[in-house]
Short mmCIF file of all heavy atoms in Angstrom, two decimals:
data_model
loop_
_atom_site.label_atom_id
_atom_site.label_comp_id
_atom_site.label_asym_id
_atom_site.label_seq_id
_atom_site.Cartn_x
_atom_site.Cartn_y
_atom_site.Cartn_z
N MET Z 1 -17.43 11.37 -10.05
CA MET Z 1 -17.74 10.72 -8.77
C MET Z 1 -17.18 9.30 -8.74
O MET Z 1 -17.24 8.58 -9.71
CB MET Z 1 -19.25 10.65 -8.59
CG MET Z 1 -19.90 11.99 -8.27
SD MET Z 1 -19.48 12.57 -6.63
CE MET Z 1 -20.41 11.45 -5.59
N VAL Z 2 -16.66 8.94 -7.61
CA VAL Z 2 -16.29 7.55 -7.41
C VAL Z 2 -17.58 6.77 -7.18
O VAL Z 2 -18.41 7.17 -6.38
CB VAL Z 2 -15.37 7.39 -6.18
CG1 VAL Z 2 -15.05 5.95 -5.93
CG2 VAL Z 2 -14.10 8.20 -6.38
N SER Z 3 -17.75 5.69 -7.88
CA SER Z 3 -19.01 4.97 -7.75
C SER Z 3 -19.12 4.32 -6.38
O SER Z 3 -18.13 3.92 -5.76
CB SER Z 3 -19.12 3.90 -8.84
OG SER Z 3 -18.39 2.76 -8.48
N GLU Z 4 -20.36 4.22 -5.90
CA GLU Z 4 -20.58 3.61 -4.60
C GLU Z 4 -20.16 2.14 -4.61
O GLU Z 4 -19.73 1.61 -3.60
CB GLU Z 4 -22.06 3.74 -4.21
CG GLU Z 4 -22.52 5.18 -4.04
CD GLU Z 4 -21.76 5.90 -2.92
OE1 GLU Z 4 -21.56 5.30 -1.87
OE2 GLU Z 4 -21.36 7.05 -3.13
N ASP Z 5 -20.32 1.51 -5.77
CA ASP Z 5 -19.92 0.11 -5.86
C ASP Z 5 -18.43 -0.05 -5.63
O ASP Z 5 -17.97 -0.94 -4.92
CB ASP Z 5 -20.27 -0.45 -7.24
CG ASP Z 5 -21.77 -0.61 -7.40
OD1 ASP Z 5 -22.48 -0.54 -6.38
OD2 ASP Z 5 -22.22 -0.81 -8.53
N LEU Z 6 -17.66 0.85 -6.25
CA LEU Z 6 -16.21 0.79 -6.08
C LEU Z 6 -15.83 1.09 -4.64
O LEU Z 6 -15.02 0.39 -4.04
CB LEU Z 6 -15.54 1.79 -7.03
CG LEU Z 6 -14.02 1.92 -6.88
CD1 LEU Z 6 -13.33 0.61 -7.20
CD2 LEU Z 6 -13.49 3.03 -7.78
N LEU Z 7 -16.47 2.09 -4.10
CA LEU Z 7 -16.16 2.47 -2.72
C LEU Z 7 -16.42 1.32 -1.76
O LEU Z 7 -15.68 1.09 -0.82
CB LEU Z 7 -17.01 3.69 -2.35
CG LEU Z 7 -16.76 4.34 -0.99
CD1 LEU Z 7 -15.29 4.63 -0.79
CD2 LEU Z 7 -17.58 5.60 -0.87
N ALA Z 8 -17.49 0.57 -2.03
CA ALA Z 8 -17.84 -0.54 -1.15
C ALA Z 8 -16.80 -1.65 -1.21
O ALA Z 8 -16.64 -2.43 -0.27
CB ALA Z 8 -19.21 -1.09 -1.53
N LEU Z 9 -16.07 -1.71 -2.31
CA LEU Z 9 -15.07 -2.77 -2.47
C LEU Z 9 -13.73 -2.40 -1.87
O LEU Z 9 -12.92 -3.26 -1.54
CB LEU Z 9 -14.84 -3.06 -3.96
CG LEU Z 9 -15.96 -3.77 -4.69
CD1 LEU Z 9 -15.64 -3.86 -6.18
CD2 LEU Z 9 -16.18 -5.16 -4.12
N LEU Z 10 -13.51 -1.11 -1.72
CA LEU Z 10 -12.19 -0.67 -1.27
C LEU Z 10 -12.04 -0.84 0.24
O LEU Z 10 -12.96 -0.63 1.00
CB LEU Z 10 -11.99 0.81 -1.62
CG LEU Z 10 -11.82 1.12 -3.10
CD1 LEU Z 10 -11.82 2.63 -3.31
CD2 LEU Z 10 -10.53 0.52 -3.62
N VAL Z 11 -10.87 -1.24 0.63
CA VAL Z 11 -10.55 -1.33 2.05
C VAL Z 11 -9.24 -0.61 2.29
O VAL Z 11 -8.49 -0.30 1.36
CB VAL Z 11 -10.43 -2.79 2.54
CG1 VAL Z 11 -11.77 -3.50 2.48
CG2 VAL Z 11 -9.39 -3.54 1.71
N CYS Z 12 -8.98 -0.34 3.53
CA CYS Z 12 -7.75 0.35 3.89
C CYS Z 12 -6.55 -0.52 3.49
O CYS Z 12 -6.51 -1.72 3.80
CB CYS Z 12 -7.74 0.59 5.40
SG CYS Z 12 -6.23 1.37 5.97
N PRO Z 13 -5.58 0.06 2.83
CA PRO Z 13 -4.41 -0.73 2.42
C PRO Z 13 -3.50 -1.11 3.59
O PRO Z 13 -2.61 -1.95 3.43
CB PRO Z 13 -3.68 0.20 1.44
CG PRO Z 13 -4.11 1.57 1.81
CD PRO Z 13 -5.51 1.43 2.33
N MET Z 14 -3.75 -0.55 4.73
CA MET Z 14 -2.90 -0.88 5.87
C MET Z 14 -3.22 -2.27 6.42
O MET Z 14 -2.37 -3.13 6.48
CB MET Z 14 -3.05 0.18 6.98
CG MET Z 14 -2.49 1.54 6.60
SD MET Z 14 -0.75 1.47 6.17
CE MET Z 14 -0.04 1.10 7.78
N ASP Z 15 -4.45 -2.45 6.85
CA ASP Z 15 -4.79 -3.76 7.42
C ASP Z 15 -5.61 -4.61 6.45
O ASP Z 15 -5.93 -5.75 6.75
CB ASP Z 15 -5.51 -3.61 8.76
CG ASP Z 15 -6.81 -2.84 8.62
OD1 ASP Z 15 -7.25 -2.60 7.49
OD2 ASP Z 15 -7.38 -2.47 9.65
N GLN Z 16 -5.94 -4.03 5.29
CA GLN Z 16 -6.65 -4.72 4.23
C GLN Z 16 -7.99 -5.26 4.65
O GLN Z 16 -8.46 -6.27 4.15
CB GLN Z 16 -5.77 -5.86 3.68
CG GLN Z 16 -4.34 -5.40 3.52
CD GLN Z 16 -3.62 -6.07 2.37
OE1 GLN Z 16 -3.90 -7.20 2.04
NE2 GLN Z 16 -2.71 -5.36 1.74
N LYS Z 17 -8.63 -4.58 5.58
CA LYS Z 17 -9.99 -5.00 5.93
C LYS Z 17 -10.87 -3.86 6.40
O LYS Z 17 -12.09 -3.96 6.32
CB LYS Z 17 -9.96 -6.11 6.99
CG LYS Z 17 -9.36 -5.68 8.31
CD LYS Z 17 -9.28 -6.88 9.25
CE LYS Z 17 -8.62 -6.47 10.58
NZ LYS Z 17 -8.33 -7.63 11.42
N SER Z 18 -10.29 -2.79 6.91
CA SER Z 18 -11.13 -1.70 7.41
C SER Z 18 -11.79 -0.96 6.26
O SER Z 18 -11.18 -0.75 5.21
CB SER Z 18 -10.28 -0.73 8.23
OG SER Z 18 -9.78 -1.37 9.37
N SER Z 19 -13.03 -0.55 6.46
CA SER Z 19 -13.74 0.13 5.40
C SER Z 19 -13.37 1.61 5.38
O SER Z 19 -12.79 2.14 6.32
CB SER Z 19 -15.25 -0.04 5.58
OG SER Z 19 -15.65 0.47 6.82
N LEU Z 20 -13.73 2.24 4.27
CA LEU Z 20 -13.39 3.64 4.05
C LEU Z 20 -14.66 4.45 3.94
O LEU Z 20 -15.69 3.94 3.49
CB LEU Z 20 -12.57 3.77 2.76
CG LEU Z 20 -11.30 2.93 2.71
CD1 LEU Z 20 -10.81 2.82 1.28
CD2 LEU Z 20 -10.22 3.53 3.57
N ARG Z 21 -14.58 5.70 4.33
CA ARG Z 21 -15.74 6.57 4.12
C ARG Z 21 -15.33 7.76 3.27
O ARG Z 21 -14.18 8.19 3.28
CB ARG Z 21 -16.35 7.01 5.45
CG ARG Z 21 -15.49 8.01 6.20
CD ARG Z 21 -16.23 8.64 7.37
NE ARG Z 21 -15.36 9.60 8.03
CZ ARG Z 21 -14.50 9.27 8.99
NH1 ARG Z 21 -14.44 8.02 9.41
NH2 ARG Z 21 -13.71 10.18 9.52
N ARG Z 22 -16.32 8.26 2.54
CA ARG Z 22 -16.08 9.38 1.68
C ARG Z 22 -16.07 10.66 2.50
O ARG Z 22 -16.97 10.87 3.31
CB ARG Z 22 -17.21 9.43 0.63
CG ARG Z 22 -17.05 10.51 -0.39
CD ARG Z 22 -15.97 10.13 -1.38
NE ARG Z 22 -15.69 11.26 -2.25
CZ ARG Z 22 -16.21 11.39 -3.46
NH1 ARG Z 22 -16.96 10.45 -3.95
NH2 ARG Z 22 -15.93 12.44 -4.19
N GLU Z 23 -15.08 11.49 2.30
CA GLU Z 23 -15.04 12.78 3.00
C GLU Z 23 -14.54 13.80 2.01
O GLU Z 23 -13.34 13.93 1.78
CB GLU Z 23 -14.09 12.67 4.20
CG GLU Z 23 -14.62 13.32 5.46
CD GLU Z 23 -13.71 13.09 6.65
OE1 GLU Z 23 -12.63 13.68 6.68
OE2 GLU Z 23 -14.08 12.28 7.53
N GLY Z 24 -15.47 14.51 1.41
CA GLY Z 24 -15.09 15.50 0.41
C GLY Z 24 -14.37 14.84 -0.75
O GLY Z 24 -14.89 13.93 -1.37
N ASP Z 25 -13.17 15.29 -1.02
CA ASP Z 25 -12.43 14.74 -2.16
C ASP Z 25 -11.40 13.72 -1.69
O ASP Z 25 -10.33 13.60 -2.25
CB ASP Z 25 -11.75 15.86 -2.95
CG ASP Z 25 -10.81 16.67 -2.08
OD1 ASP Z 25 -10.76 16.41 -0.85
OD2 ASP Z 25 -10.12 17.55 -2.62
N ALA Z 26 -11.76 13.00 -0.65
CA ALA Z 26 -10.83 12.00 -0.13
C ALA Z 26 -11.60 10.82 0.44
O ALA Z 26 -12.79 10.91 0.73
CB ALA Z 26 -9.93 12.60 0.94
N LEU Z 27 -10.91 9.70 0.57
CA LEU Z 27 -11.44 8.55 1.30
C LEU Z 27 -10.66 8.46 2.60
O LEU Z 27 -9.44 8.61 2.62
CB LEU Z 27 -11.26 7.26 0.50
CG LEU Z 27 -12.02 7.18 -0.83
CD1 LEU Z 27 -11.71 5.86 -1.52
CD2 LEU Z 27 -13.52 7.30 -0.58
N VAL Z 28 -11.38 8.20 3.69
CA VAL Z 28 -10.74 8.16 4.99
C VAL Z 28 -10.99 6.80 5.61
O VAL Z 28 -12.12 6.30 5.61
CB VAL Z 28 -11.30 9.26 5.91
CG1 VAL Z 28 -10.60 9.24 7.26
CG2 VAL Z 28 -11.15 10.63 5.25
N CYS Z 29 -9.92 6.19 6.12
CA CYS Z 29 -10.09 4.90 6.79
C CYS Z 29 -10.89 5.10 8.06
O CYS Z 29 -10.59 5.98 8.86
CB CYS Z 29 -8.73 4.29 7.10
SG CYS Z 29 -8.87 2.77 8.05
N THR Z 30 -11.92 4.26 8.26
CA THR Z 30 -12.77 4.42 9.44
C THR Z 30 -12.06 3.93 10.70
O THR Z 30 -12.52 4.16 11.80
CB THR Z 30 -14.07 3.62 9.27
OG1 THR Z 30 -13.75 2.26 8.97
CG2 THR Z 30 -14.91 4.20 8.14
N ARG Z 31 -10.93 3.26 10.52
CA ARG Z 31 -10.24 2.77 11.71
C ARG Z 31 -9.00 3.60 12.04
O ARG Z 31 -8.90 4.19 13.10
CB ARG Z 31 -9.85 1.31 11.51
CG ARG Z 31 -9.17 0.75 12.74
CD ARG Z 31 -8.72 -0.66 12.53
NE ARG Z 31 -8.12 -1.18 13.75
CZ ARG Z 31 -7.37 -2.28 13.78
NH1 ARG Z 31 -7.18 -2.96 12.69
NH2 ARG Z 31 -6.85 -2.68 14.91
N CYS Z 32 -8.05 3.62 11.10
CA CYS Z 32 -6.78 4.25 11.46
C CYS Z 32 -6.65 5.69 10.96
O CYS Z 32 -5.77 6.41 11.41
CB CYS Z 32 -5.59 3.40 11.00
SG CYS Z 32 -5.44 3.13 9.23
N GLY Z 33 -7.53 6.11 10.06
CA GLY Z 33 -7.68 7.52 9.79
C GLY Z 33 -6.91 8.22 8.68
O GLY Z 33 -7.11 9.41 8.49
N PRO Z 34 -6.02 7.57 7.93
CA PRO Z 34 -5.36 8.31 6.87
C PRO Z 34 -6.33 8.71 5.76
O PRO Z 34 -7.33 8.02 5.53
CB PRO Z 34 -4.30 7.34 6.34
CG PRO Z 34 -4.77 5.99 6.73
CD PRO Z 34 -5.55 6.18 8.00
N ARG Z 35 -6.02 9.83 5.10
CA ARG Z 35 -6.86 10.33 4.01
C ARG Z 35 -6.21 10.01 2.67
O ARG Z 35 -5.06 10.36 2.43
CB ARG Z 35 -7.02 11.84 4.11
CG ARG Z 35 -7.80 12.31 5.31
CD ARG Z 35 -7.75 13.83 5.40
NE ARG Z 35 -8.40 14.46 4.27
CZ ARG Z 35 -9.70 14.74 4.21
NH1 ARG Z 35 -10.45 14.47 5.24
NH2 ARG Z 35 -10.23 15.30 3.16
N PHE Z 36 -6.97 9.37 1.82
CA PHE Z 36 -6.50 9.03 0.48
C PHE Z 36 -7.19 9.95 -0.51
O PHE Z 36 -8.41 9.93 -0.64
CB PHE Z 36 -6.82 7.57 0.15
CG PHE Z 36 -6.24 6.59 1.16
CD1 PHE Z 36 -6.98 6.15 2.23
CD2 PHE Z 36 -4.92 6.18 1.03
CE1 PHE Z 36 -6.44 5.28 3.16
CE2 PHE Z 36 -4.37 5.30 1.96
CZ PHE Z 36 -5.12 4.86 3.03
N ALA Z 37 -6.43 10.75 -1.17
CA ALA Z 37 -6.99 11.75 -2.06
C ALA Z 37 -7.61 11.10 -3.30
O ALA Z 37 -7.10 10.10 -3.81
CB ALA Z 37 -5.91 12.73 -2.49
N ILE Z 38 -8.73 11.67 -3.74
CA ILE Z 38 -9.35 11.22 -4.97
C ILE Z 38 -9.02 12.24 -6.05
O ILE Z 38 -9.29 13.43 -5.91
CB ILE Z 38 -10.87 11.12 -4.81
CG1 ILE Z 38 -11.22 10.10 -3.73
CG2 ILE Z 38 -11.52 10.72 -6.14
CD1 ILE Z 38 -12.69 10.12 -3.33
N LYS Z 39 -8.41 11.77 -7.11
CA LYS Z 39 -8.02 12.65 -8.19
C LYS Z 39 -8.54 12.09 -9.50
O LYS Z 39 -8.33 10.92 -9.80
CB LYS Z 39 -6.49 12.76 -8.23
CG LYS Z 39 -6.00 14.03 -8.87
CD LYS Z 39 -4.49 14.14 -8.73
CE LYS Z 39 -4.00 15.42 -9.37
NZ LYS Z 39 -2.56 15.51 -9.40
N ASP Z 40 -9.24 12.92 -10.25
CA ASP Z 40 -9.83 12.47 -11.51
C ASP Z 40 -10.67 11.21 -11.30
O ASP Z 40 -10.60 10.26 -12.08
CB ASP Z 40 -8.74 12.21 -12.55
CG ASP Z 40 -7.98 13.48 -12.89
OD1 ASP Z 40 -8.60 14.56 -12.82
OD2 ASP Z 40 -6.79 13.39 -13.21
N ASP Z 41 -11.44 11.20 -10.22
CA ASP Z 41 -12.33 10.09 -9.88
C ASP Z 41 -11.62 8.81 -9.49
O ASP Z 41 -12.24 7.76 -9.36
CB ASP Z 41 -13.29 9.77 -11.04
CG ASP Z 41 -14.27 10.90 -11.26
OD1 ASP Z 41 -14.43 11.73 -10.35
OD2 ASP Z 41 -14.87 10.95 -12.34
N ILE Z 42 -10.31 8.87 -9.32
CA ILE Z 42 -9.58 7.67 -8.96
C ILE Z 42 -8.92 7.87 -7.60
O ILE Z 42 -8.10 8.76 -7.43
CB ILE Z 42 -8.50 7.34 -10.01
CG1 ILE Z 42 -9.17 7.11 -11.35
CG2 ILE Z 42 -7.69 6.11 -9.59
CD1 ILE Z 42 -8.20 6.98 -12.50
N PRO Z 43 -9.31 7.05 -6.63
CA PRO Z 43 -8.70 7.19 -5.32
C PRO Z 43 -7.24 6.72 -5.34
O PRO Z 43 -6.94 5.66 -5.90
CB PRO Z 43 -9.54 6.30 -4.40
CG PRO Z 43 -10.55 5.63 -5.25
CD PRO Z 43 -10.33 6.00 -6.68
N ASN Z 44 -6.40 7.51 -4.76
CA ASN Z 44 -4.99 7.14 -4.67
C ASN Z 44 -4.79 6.37 -3.37
O ASN Z 44 -4.74 6.95 -2.29
CB ASN Z 44 -4.12 8.40 -4.68
CG ASN Z 44 -2.64 8.08 -4.54
OD1 ASN Z 44 -2.26 6.93 -4.33
ND2 ASN Z 44 -1.81 9.09 -4.65
N MET Z 45 -4.70 5.05 -3.48
CA MET Z 45 -4.65 4.21 -2.29
C MET Z 45 -3.22 3.91 -1.83
O MET Z 45 -3.01 2.99 -1.05
CB MET Z 45 -5.40 2.90 -2.55
CG MET Z 45 -6.86 3.10 -2.93
SD MET Z 45 -7.76 4.14 -1.77
CE MET Z 45 -7.74 3.08 -0.32
N LEU Z 46 -2.27 4.67 -2.32
CA LEU Z 46 -0.90 4.45 -1.86
C LEU Z 46 -0.74 5.04 -0.46
O LEU Z 46 -0.87 6.24 -0.26
CB LEU Z 46 0.10 5.11 -2.82
CG LEU Z 46 0.18 4.50 -4.21
CD1 LEU Z 46 1.10 5.33 -5.09
CD2 LEU Z 46 0.67 3.07 -4.13
N ILE Z 47 -0.44 4.17 0.47
CA ILE Z 47 -0.33 4.64 1.85
C ILE Z 47 0.82 5.64 2.00
O ILE Z 47 0.76 6.55 2.82
CB ILE Z 47 -0.18 3.44 2.82
CG1 ILE Z 47 -0.30 3.91 4.28
CG2 ILE Z 47 1.12 2.68 2.60
CD1 ILE Z 47 -1.66 4.42 4.69
N GLU Z 48 1.82 5.49 1.17
CA GLU Z 48 2.95 6.42 1.25
C GLU Z 48 2.54 7.85 0.90
O GLU Z 48 3.20 8.81 1.30
CB GLU Z 48 4.08 5.99 0.31
CG GLU Z 48 4.74 4.67 0.65
CD GLU Z 48 3.95 3.48 0.10
OE1 GLU Z 48 2.93 3.70 -0.61
OE2 GLU Z 48 4.33 2.34 0.38
N GLU Z 49 1.47 7.97 0.12
CA GLU Z 49 1.05 9.30 -0.32
C GLU Z 49 -0.19 9.78 0.42
O GLU Z 49 -0.71 10.85 0.14
CB GLU Z 49 0.80 9.28 -1.83
CG GLU Z 49 2.08 8.98 -2.60
CD GLU Z 49 1.86 8.95 -4.10
OE1 GLU Z 49 0.79 9.35 -4.56
OE2 GLU Z 49 2.78 8.51 -4.80
N ALA Z 50 -0.66 8.99 1.36
CA ALA Z 50 -1.85 9.39 2.12
C ALA Z 50 -1.48 10.46 3.14
O ALA Z 50 -0.33 10.57 3.57
CB ALA Z 50 -2.44 8.18 2.82
N GLU Z 51 -2.51 11.22 3.51
CA GLU Z 51 -2.31 12.24 4.54
C GLU Z 51 -2.62 11.61 5.89
O GLU Z 51 -3.72 11.12 6.12
CB GLU Z 51 -3.26 13.41 4.26
CG GLU Z 51 -3.12 14.57 5.20
CD GLU Z 51 -4.17 15.63 4.89
OE1 GLU Z 51 -4.49 15.83 3.70
OE2 GLU Z 51 -4.68 16.23 5.84
N LEU Z 52 -1.66 11.59 6.77
CA LEU Z 52 -1.83 10.91 8.05
C LEU Z 52 -2.75 11.73 8.96
O LEU Z 52 -2.81 12.95 8.87
CB LEU Z 52 -0.48 10.70 8.72
CG LEU Z 52 0.46 9.76 7.95
CD1 LEU Z 52 1.82 9.68 8.64
CD2 LEU Z 52 -0.13 8.37 7.83
N PRO Z 53 -3.47 11.04 9.83
CA PRO Z 53 -4.40 11.75 10.73
C PRO Z 53 -3.64 12.60 11.75
O PRO Z 53 -2.45 12.36 11.99
CB PRO Z 53 -5.17 10.62 11.41
CG PRO Z 53 -4.28 9.43 11.30
CD PRO Z 53 -3.49 9.60 10.03
N PRO Z 54 -4.33 13.57 12.34
CA PRO Z 54 -3.70 14.42 13.36
C PRO Z 54 -3.11 13.56 14.48
O PRO Z 54 -3.73 12.60 14.91
CB PRO Z 54 -4.85 15.28 13.89
CG PRO Z 54 -5.89 15.24 12.83
CD PRO Z 54 -5.74 13.92 12.13
N GLY Z 55 -1.92 13.90 14.91
CA GLY Z 55 -1.29 13.15 15.98
C GLY Z 55 -0.44 12.00 15.49
O GLY Z 55 0.24 11.35 16.27
N CYS Z 56 -0.52 11.73 14.19
CA CYS Z 56 0.28 10.66 13.61
C CYS Z 56 1.43 11.27 12.80
O CYS Z 56 1.18 11.94 11.81
CB CYS Z 56 -0.57 9.79 12.69
SG CYS Z 56 -1.19 8.31 13.46
N ASP Z 57 2.63 11.04 13.24
CA ASP Z 57 3.77 11.57 12.51
C ASP Z 57 4.33 10.57 11.52
O ASP Z 57 5.06 10.93 10.61
CB ASP Z 57 4.88 11.97 13.49
CG ASP Z 57 4.45 13.15 14.35
OD1 ASP Z 57 3.67 13.97 13.85
OD2 ASP Z 57 4.89 13.22 15.50
N ALA Z 58 4.02 9.32 11.71
CA ALA Z 58 4.57 8.28 10.84
C ALA Z 58 3.58 7.14 10.74
O ALA Z 58 2.66 7.02 11.56
CB ALA Z 58 5.90 7.77 11.41
N LEU Z 59 3.77 6.31 9.73
CA LEU Z 59 2.86 5.17 9.55
C LEU Z 59 2.85 4.27 10.78
O LEU Z 59 1.84 3.66 11.10
CB LEU Z 59 3.30 4.36 8.32
CG LEU Z 59 3.16 5.06 6.97
CD1 LEU Z 59 3.66 4.15 5.87
CD2 LEU Z 59 1.72 5.47 6.72
N THR Z 60 3.97 4.22 11.47
CA THR Z 60 4.05 3.34 12.64
C THR Z 60 3.20 3.84 13.79
O THR Z 60 3.00 3.12 14.76
CB THR Z 60 5.52 3.20 13.09
OG1 THR Z 60 6.11 4.50 13.14
CG2 THR Z 60 6.31 2.35 12.12
N ASP Z 61 2.71 5.09 13.70
CA ASP Z 61 1.83 5.62 14.74
C ASP Z 61 0.38 5.23 14.52
O ASP Z 61 -0.46 5.45 15.38
CB ASP Z 61 1.91 7.15 14.78
CG ASP Z 61 3.22 7.63 15.38
OD1 ASP Z 61 3.87 6.84 16.09
OD2 ASP Z 61 3.58 8.79 15.13
N LEU Z 62 0.06 4.69 13.36
CA LEU Z 62 -1.33 4.36 13.06
C LEU Z 62 -1.81 3.25 13.98
O LEU Z 62 -1.07 2.32 14.32
CB LEU Z 62 -1.48 3.93 11.60
CG LEU Z 62 -1.22 5.04 10.57
CD1 LEU Z 62 -1.24 4.46 9.18
CD2 LEU Z 62 -2.25 6.15 10.71
N GLU Z 63 -3.09 3.36 14.32
CA GLU Z 63 -3.65 2.43 15.30
C GLU Z 63 -3.52 0.98 14.85
O GLU Z 63 -3.19 0.10 15.64
CB GLU Z 63 -5.12 2.80 15.52
CG GLU Z 63 -5.75 2.14 16.74
CD GLU Z 63 -6.37 0.80 16.40
OE1 GLU Z 63 -6.68 0.59 15.22
OE2 GLU Z 63 -6.51 -0.02 17.32
N CYS Z 64 -3.75 0.73 13.56
CA CYS Z 64 -3.72 -0.66 13.10
C CYS Z 64 -2.30 -1.24 13.12
O CYS Z 64 -2.12 -2.44 13.27
CB CYS Z 64 -4.34 -0.77 11.71
SG CYS Z 64 -3.64 0.32 10.48
N VAL Z 65 -1.30 -0.38 12.99
CA VAL Z 65 0.07 -0.86 13.05
C VAL Z 65 0.45 -1.16 14.50
O VAL Z 65 1.03 -2.20 14.82
CB VAL Z 65 1.05 0.17 12.45
CG1 VAL Z 65 2.48 -0.31 12.58
CG2 VAL Z 65 0.70 0.43 10.99
N ARG Z 66 0.06 -0.25 15.37
CA ARG Z 66 0.41 -0.44 16.78
C ARG Z 66 -0.27 -1.67 17.36
O ARG Z 66 0.26 -2.33 18.25
CB ARG Z 66 0.05 0.81 17.59
CG ARG Z 66 1.05 1.93 17.35
CD ARG Z 66 0.83 3.12 18.27
NE ARG Z 66 -0.32 3.92 17.86
CZ ARG Z 66 -1.32 4.24 18.67
NH1 ARG Z 66 -1.31 3.86 19.92
NH2 ARG Z 66 -2.33 4.94 18.22
N SER Z 67 -1.47 -1.99 16.86
CA SER Z 67 -2.16 -3.16 17.40
C SER Z 67 -1.73 -4.45 16.71
O SER Z 67 -2.17 -5.52 17.06
CB SER Z 67 -3.67 -2.98 17.25
OG SER Z 67 -4.02 -2.96 15.88
N GLY Z 68 -0.86 -4.32 15.70
CA GLY Z 68 -0.30 -5.50 15.08
C GLY Z 68 -1.08 -6.06 13.90
O GLY Z 68 -0.74 -7.10 13.36
N ASP Z 69 -2.15 -5.35 13.48
CA ASP Z 69 -2.94 -5.84 12.34
C ASP Z 69 -2.34 -5.44 11.00
O ASP Z 69 -2.68 -6.00 9.96
CB ASP Z 69 -4.37 -5.29 12.41
CG ASP Z 69 -5.20 -6.05 13.43
OD1 ASP Z 69 -4.72 -7.10 13.90
OD2 ASP Z 69 -6.31 -5.60 13.75
N ALA Z 70 -1.51 -4.43 11.01
CA ALA Z 70 -0.90 -3.98 9.76
C ALA Z 70 0.61 -3.89 9.97
O ALA Z 70 1.08 -3.70 11.10
CB ALA Z 70 -1.45 -2.62 9.35
N ARG Z 71 1.31 -4.04 8.89
CA ARG Z 71 2.76 -3.97 9.00
C ARG Z 71 3.28 -2.91 8.06
O ARG Z 71 2.79 -2.75 6.95
CB ARG Z 71 3.39 -5.31 8.63
CG ARG Z 71 3.17 -6.36 9.69
CD ARG Z 71 4.02 -7.56 9.38
NE ARG Z 71 5.37 -7.15 8.97
CZ ARG Z 71 6.30 -8.01 8.59
NH1 ARG Z 71 6.03 -9.28 8.54
NH2 ARG Z 71 7.49 -7.58 8.25
N VAL Z 72 4.27 -2.21 8.50
CA VAL Z 72 4.95 -1.29 7.60
C VAL Z 72 6.43 -1.65 7.65
O VAL Z 72 6.94 -2.09 8.66
CB VAL Z 72 4.77 0.18 7.99
CG1 VAL Z 72 3.37 0.66 7.66
CG2 VAL Z 72 5.07 0.41 9.46
N ASP Z 73 7.06 -1.47 6.53
CA ASP Z 73 8.49 -1.71 6.48
C ASP Z 73 9.19 -0.40 6.82
O ASP Z 73 9.20 0.53 6.03
CB ASP Z 73 8.90 -2.18 5.08
CG ASP Z 73 8.27 -3.53 4.79
OD1 ASP Z 73 8.25 -4.37 5.69
OD2 ASP Z 73 7.80 -3.72 3.65
N VAL Z 74 9.72 -0.34 7.99
CA VAL Z 74 10.40 0.87 8.41
C VAL Z 74 11.85 0.79 7.93
O VAL Z 74 12.55 -0.17 8.24
CB VAL Z 74 10.37 1.01 9.94
CG1 VAL Z 74 11.06 2.28 10.38
CG2 VAL Z 74 8.93 0.99 10.43
N PRO Z 75 12.24 1.78 7.17
CA PRO Z 75 13.60 1.75 6.63
C PRO Z 75 14.65 1.87 7.74
O PRO Z 75 14.39 2.40 8.78
CB PRO Z 75 13.68 2.94 5.68
CG PRO Z 75 12.50 3.80 5.99
CD PRO Z 75 11.50 2.97 6.73
ZN1 ZN J 1 -6.78 1.84 8.08
#
């Protein structure tokens, strides 16, 4: 199990402030919605490896990016 203390410290790597909620074997950003898989009790917080929410085809579609709170380097 990921400890509740650790979970409370983690924030979304996109805007670095939104909190995350536990959903099965993943952490989900409460704002922009990507799913970060938890493997061997360690959440993988790499946004490049996160599962994007429905309707989002790219990181630039995320709500926090569109509103200007997060930046992604688009190649
Ligand atoms: Zn987020």
Side-chain angles (χ1 to χ4, degrees):
M1 287 290 289
V2 177
S3 81
E4 296 299 317
D5 289 346
L6 175 62
L7 185 51
L9 288 175
L10 290 172
V11 293
C12 178
M14 292 302 291
D15 60 11
Q16 318 211 329
K17 63 184 178 190
S18 296
S19 59
L20 304 163
R21 71 168 181 273
R22 183 74 188 262
E23 224 175 71
D25 58 355
L27 296 178
V28 182
C29 175
T30 55
R31 182 183 182 195
C32 62
R35 293 173 64 87
F36 303 94
I38 299 170
K39 205 173 180 187
D40 297 330
D41 293 343
I42 300 172
N44 178 355
M45 301 308 293
L46 293 175
I47 189 68
E48 295 83 4
E49 296 180 11
E51 183 184 324
L52 296 176
C56 263
D57 293 329
L59 294 179
T60 47
D61 287 340
L62 293 173
E63 193 271 338
C64 54
V65 177
R66 285 187 284 127
S67 66
D69 282 349
R71 288 190 43 183
V72 286
D73 295 319
V74 181

